[in-house]
Structures are given as C-alpha cells and as structure tokens.
Amino acid sequence: MALEHAILVSLLERPGSGYELARRFDRSIGRFWTATHQQIYRVLRRMEADGWIAAEEVAQDGRPDKKVYSAAGDGRAELARWLREPVEPETVRHELAVKIRAAAFDDPAALISEVERHREGHAALLARYLHGEQRDFPDLDALDARQELQHVVLRGGIEYERMTLDWLDDVLATLRRLAADRPS
Amino acid sequence: MALEHAILVSLLERPGSGYELARRFDRSIGRFWTATHQQIYRVLRRMEADGWIAAEEVAQDGRPDKKVYSAAGDGRAELARWLREPVEPETVRHELAVKIRAAAFDDPAALISEVERHREGHAALLARYLHGEQRDFPDLDALDARQELQHVVLRGGIEYERMTLDWLDDVLATLRRLAADRPS
DNA sequence: ATTGCCTATGCAACTCGTTGCATAGCAGGA
DNA sequence: TCCTGCTATGCAACGAGTTGCATAGGCAAT
C-alpha cells in the first residue's frame, strides 16, 4: 500500500490540510496515484495516530478551521524504509483494452466514437503536461535534485501520453478498417 | 467494474472453468486486467445467478470435477450494452513514480538497484510479448476480425513496454547523475 | 431571495480485492 | 518415503476504495 507514502511525499514537498491534499491528488499527484477525500482523511488520522505526521489546527476567517499536517520524524524514517523495499509491478486495469477485444463479439464500429472521445482526453492531458513543464521548469539546465526527480516523472507522463495517442490512432484505423470490411 | 466483462470476453473467446480463467488472468488477460482466483470464483457465481453465463459440470479422471462456464444470451446482451457505455479513464497506481519523488527526501542512490530490477522485469515482458506475437500471429496479412483486435491490443502492450524501458533508462541516468553530484 | 458552488471535515454503508487457510487426489523427484 | 507442486474449488476475515449523505458558513450570480 502506497497511499500513506504518496501522502508523506506530498506533505514533505509542502505541508497541507486534508482538503488541500485531496485537490493535489485530483491534479498533479493524480497522474500516478489516485485517491478520494474519504480515503485521505481516514489515512491522515491513522498516520497522525502512528506519529508519522503532525497536525496543527489553523483558524481561518470566512471559512472553516483546517488541520494542517506536516511530516514528522517517524514519517521520514518510514519513507526511507519503504524506499528500500522491492517495487511492486504496476497493477494494470485497462478497460479500453477489454472493450477492444469485446468488440469482436459485437459491432466494432460501435466503439469508434468512444475511442475518439478517449483520445481527446489523452490529447488534452498531454497539452496540460507540456504547459506545466514550460511553467514549472523554464530552465532545464538549472534544476536542483528535487526538481530533477519531479521532471523525470513528468517526462514519463509525457512519453506515456504520446505513446497512447499513437496507439489510439492505430486502434481507430483498425476499427475503421473492420467496419468498412463487414458493415453491420 | 469491468471484471465481469473481462470474464465474459474470455469465455466468449473460449469456455472454461474458474481455475482455467484464473490462469488466463495470470497470463494473457493479466496484461490489461488483473484478478485473483477468489475474485473470479465469486464473480462467476454471481454471473451464473444473473443468467449471464451457463455452467456445466464436467467429471475428470485423476483430478477433481470442474464446472465449465460459457457465455449465455444475457451475457452477450450485457456485453453489447456495456460496450456502448463511456470508457472510464485508466486508474493509475504507479508506485515507482511515488518512490522517485520520495527519493528527493532520502538517498537517490538507494533506488538504483530496485529500478534496475524493475527494468529487467519489463524487458522480460517485452520479450514474451514479441515471442507471443511470432507464435500467435505468424502471418499478419491473414488475420480475421477477432485476431485483428487481439493484435492491436498486443501492439499497445509492446509499445507500452518499449516506452517504459526508454523511460527507465532515463530514470537510471538521472539517479546516477544525482548520486554522483552529491554522494551520501 | 434563492440557487449553486467553494472550503473543510466527517459518518455510515457498501463493494472490491487480498490473504490465509482447507480439502483432496494425483504426479514426479530426492 | 516424504516433500513439493499441480488441478480444482471454496470459506472466513480483513483491508482498500467508493458512494451517498451531512454539516456549516461564505461568496457570487440570477
């Protein structure tokens, strides 16, 4: 389980409340780890009880109080321990691949518009990555260690999206060819 | 939830028992959908109760009886309905990416050997894909619709592994550079 | 005025998914 | 002979993850 560790990394990069974390998981961190606010609040309470993180109540005017968490010594130690554990292979859940094979038992043409929509989502994500790269890493020759590591992860995301777009074009060409060969 | 649908596709491609399905999920289907035998047995019972699949008891000598399942009419109808639903964006759980960002708060060099091991796993998987492609699709100009669709999914797997290998080389180069810059 | 959205946290109930264990006969190697 | 491993299914318990709802004040637009 790495949700704890993803939260630890995020809090080390910058302390924040559960709500703020949930938004980070919707945005940047969500690229490689997803979580809902429910999961995050539950795990934060457990981590605080275990002494991995420390909480500070912060009053705000015009909005509810919030609890700002930051990583504690035990959290850092746990992160170092976890880093040295074997890396689990990625768990894959690729719904579209299942649907493509399912299309053999139905009408392949029925998938085309959904694949097109899916492709648009990936194209938009790639554009966001490239824009974020320009904004957050304007000078690639002057990065500190933390930025270097953030950037190599971002490069992975960019290459993943490029590969996916190429593959989706391949999928669309295949579906269109099959739809032309034997029209329903 | 697509486990039901992944099972339906697999049973349409070829009927089989729960045990056989579990092995398929360890091998080919596991490329884009994972499941343990426990999940599979539970879902099979539910699907049979819902009339999506039909079971036939088969006695075997020298080994326990098995229940061979095959997709029923309701299952086919459900699959067609599901095919027309919107495709969910892939859920990403990329532990290695979390660890790479975590390395900024510990020793980047500590990750190198694990990334190397991870890279070997991906290289082996790519080799298996390429070998399977040779075996199952010897003549790429003579594929029927089902094989065309299976092959386009396999092409996606191959491209994913190639991209991942390139990225892991990039990660290793970055980690080694950081380790050389500030030795622990 | 009312509607809807944002910040901020949380409970309750549920489904999904994993882990450990059990059964039970057969095959193959040390 | 004992140990390991394969086929084949399943129970029980737990942890992970989702969904729906609740609270509660403030802000902005209609």
Side-chain angles (χ1 to χ4, degrees), chain A residues 43-104:
Chain A
V43 170
L44 281 173
R45 258 173 285 157
R46 188 169 66 222
M47 289 168 78
E48 193 190 354
D50 290 348
W52 294 11
I53 56 176
E56 193 197 357
E57 297 263 354
V58 175
Q60 303 182 104
D61 46 50
R63 48 189 63 171
D65 293 0
K66 64 179 177 180
K67 268 189 183 170
V68 173
Y69 295 94
S70 45
D74 284 8
R76 265 181 183 271
E78 165 58 24
L79 200 68
R81 189 202 59 73
W82 173 74
L83 250 193
R84 282 157 181 82
E85 267 188 359
V87 180
E88 300 288 328
E90 304 95 278
T91 319
V92 182
R93 287 282 150 98
H94 209 309
E95 197 193 13
L96 184 58
V98 181
K99 287 201 178 181
I100 290 168
R101 282 177 77 145

Side-chain angles (χ1 to χ4, degrees), chain B residues 116-147:
Chain B
E116 282 169 341
R117 208 180 54 82
H118 194 77
R119 189 194 181 285
E120 274 171 42
H122 280 281
L125 192 51
L126 175 58
R128 261 185 49 207
Y129 285 0
L130 291 173
H131 180 256
E133 187 185 28
Q134 292 267 314
R135 188 193 56 215
D136 299 334
F137 307 97
D139 183 3
L140 292 180
D141 293 324
L143 301 182
D144 61 23
R146 188 191 300 190
Q147 289 175 313

Side-chain angles (χ1 to χ4, degrees), chain B residues 2-179:
Chain B
L3 177 55
E4 281 97 331
H5 304 102
I7 289 176
L8 273 174
V9 172
S10 194
L11 290 179
L12 281 165
E13 289 178 352
R14 178 179 333 200
S17 69
Y19 188 82
E20 281 162 356
L21 280 168
R23 283 195 308 168
R24 291 185 214 171
F25 273 82
D26 275 347
R27 298 177 189 186
S28 54
I29 310 174
R31 289 162 196 177
F32 46 91
W33 208 270
T34 55
T36 62
H37 80 276
Q38 277 306 330
Q39 264 179 284
I40 290 167
Y41 282 120
R42 231 188 310 174
V43 170
L44 281 173
R45 260 173 282 159
R46 188 168 66 222
M47 289 167 79
E48 193 191 354
D50 291 347
W52 294 12
I53 55 177
E56 193 198 356
E57 296 262 355
V58 174
Q60 303 181 107
D61 46 52
R63 48 189 64 171
D65 293 359
K66 63 178 176 180
K67 269 189 183 171
V68 173
Y69 294 95
S70 45
D74 284 8
R76 264 180 183 270
E78 166 58 24
L79 200 68
R81 189 201 60 72
W82 173 74
L83 250 191
R84 283 156 182 83
E85 267 189 0
V87 180
E88 300 288 328
E90 305 96 277
T91 318
V92 182
R93 288 283 150 100
H94 207 309
E95 197 194 12
L96 183 59
V98 181
K99 287 201 179 181
I100 290 168
R101 281 176 77 147
F105 304 96
D106 196 75
D107 181 12
L111 251 184
I112 292 176
S113 63
E114 262 311 305
V115 176
E116 282 169 341
R117 208 180 54 82
H118 194 77
R119 189 194 181 285
E120 274 171 42
H122 280 281
L125 192 51
L126 175 58
R128 261 185 49 207
Y129 285 0
L130 291 173
H131 180 256
E133 187 185 28
Q134 292 267 314
R135 188 193 56 215
D136 299 334
F137 307 97
D139 183 3
L140 292 180
D141 293 324
L143 301 182
D144 61 23
R146 188 191 300 190
Q147 289 175 313
E148 283 263 27
L149 292 168
Q150 287 178 351
H151 191 249
V152 79
V153 171
L154 179 56
R155 288 201 293 276
I158 289 169
E159 290 311 313
Y160 174 78
E161 294 306 325
R162 286 195 172 129
M163 179 227 83
T164 299
L165 284 174
D166 287 346
W167 178 64
L168 288 173
D169 286 338
D170 186 5
V171 170
L172 282 170
T174 304
L175 289 174
R176 288 188 178 119
R177 189 151 24 83
L178 291 174

Side-chain angles (χ1 to χ4, degrees), chain A:
Chain A
M1 233 291 289
L3 177 55
E4 281 95 334
H5 304 102
I7 288 176
L8 272 175
V9 172
S10 194
L11 289 179
L12 280 165
E13 289 179 352
R14 178 177 335 195
S17 69
Y19 188 83
E20 281 162 358
L21 280 168
R23 284 195 310 169
R24 291 185 213 170
F25 272 81
D26 275 348
R27 299 178 188 182
S28 55
I29 311 172
R31 288 163 195 175
F32 48 90
W33 207 270
T34 55
T36 63
H37 80 275
Q38 277 306 330
Q39 264 179 282
I40 290 167
Y41 281 121
R42 232 187 311 172
V43 170
L44 281 173
R45 258 173 285 157
R46 188 169 66 222
M47 289 168 78
E48 193 190 354
D50 290 348
W52 294 11
I53 56 176
E56 193 197 357
E57 297 263 354
V58 175
Q60 303 182 104
D61 46 50
R63 48 189 63 171
D65 293 0
K66 64 179 177 180
K67 268 189 183 170
V68 173
Y69 295 94
S70 45
D74 284 8
R76 265 181 183 271
E78 165 58 24
L79 200 68
R81 189 202 59 73
W82 173 74
L83 250 193
R84 282 157 181 82
E85 267 188 359
V87 180
E88 300 288 328
E90 304 95 278
T91 319
V92 182
R93 287 282 150 98
H94 209 309
E95 197 193 13
L96 184 58
V98 181
K99 287 201 178 181
I100 290 168
R101 282 177 77 145
F105 304 96
D106 197 75
D107 180 11
L111 251 184
I112 291 176
S113 63
E114 262 312 304
V115 176
E116 282 169 342
R117 208 180 53 81
H118 195 76
R119 190 195 181 284
E120 274 170 43
H122 280 280
L125 192 51
L126 175 59
R128 261 186 49 206
Y129 284 2
L130 291 173
H131 180 255
E133 187 187 28
Q134 291 268 314
R135 188 194 55 215
D136 298 333
F137 306 97
D139 183 2
L140 292 181
D141 294 324
L143 302 183
D144 61 24
R146 188 192 300 189
Q147 289 175 314
E148 284 262 29
L149 291 167
Q150 286 178 352
H151 191 248
V152 78
V153 171
L154 179 57
R155 288 202 293 277
I158 289 170
E159 290 311 312
Y160 175 78
E161 294 306 324
R162 286 196 173 128
M163 179 229 83
T164 300
L165 284 174
D166 286 347
W167 178 62
L168 289 173
D169 286 338
D170 186 6
V171 169
L172 282 170
T174 305
L175 290 173
R176 290 192 177 116
R177 188 151 24 84
L178 290 173
D181 281 2
R182 51 158 198 194
S184 54

